[in-house]
Amino acid sequence: MKQLTTPDSGAVAAQTRIEALIAAYPDLTEDDLRRLLHWYRKEASSYDVAMLSARDDLRPGYERFYKDHIERISPFGYTAISIIVLLCAIGVYAIINYLR
């Protein structure tokens, strides 16, 4: 008979810890917030995030966490957007001058 594998107890404990952090958000210590951000950005799969965001009991904390830390554009993002807009403007300017 084929044996079914069960999730590693360490993985279950880590998932339970993340769920507790989301439920407690925004009342987290700096270390807890760093841990949650690290998990979200480096460790979590799309499935993990989807399952977490779908839970009704965690939704308020998740939505606030997402709005405060994930949804906003970073300074690097603004720089990248500015460079792209500038390059597009230079391209349009060059095309207009070429067509004269």
Side-chain angles (χ1 to χ4, degrees):
M1 174 183 242
K2 185 177 178 181
Q3 253 190 343
L4 299 175
T5 58
T6 58
D8 180 15
S9 62
V12 172
Q15 182 66 24
T16 302
R17 177 75 175 140
I18 294 301
E19 291 170 1
L21 293 175
I22 288 289
Y25 187 84
D27 300 322
L28 300 177
T29 65
E30 287 296 317
D31 287 339
D32 287 342
L33 180 58
R34 270 195 298 276
R35 172 68 184 116
L36 185 57
L37 286 168
H38 182 268
W39 174 83
Y40 190 91
R41 293 178 177 154
K42 304 286 183 184
E43 298 174 18
S45 66
S46 298
Y47 179 78
D48 293 335
V49 172
M51 293 305 293
L52 193 68
S53 66
R55 292 205 19 209
D56 290 335
D57 58 327
L58 300 177
R59 185 166 293 137
Y62 176 78
E63 286 177 352
R64 187 156 179 197
F65 167 74
Y66 187 85
K67 182 180 175 221
D68 291 349
H69 298 283
I70 306 304
E71 186 175 60
R72 64 184 185 179
I73 299 174
S74 69
F76 175 76
Y78 281 116
T79 303
I81 291 168
S82 299
I83 290 171
I84 291 169
V85 169
L86 180 64
L87 290 174
C88 289
I90 291 170
V92 169
Y93 179 77
I95 290 171
I96 290 172
N97 281 332
Y98 177 76
L99 294 176
R100 284 186 184 181

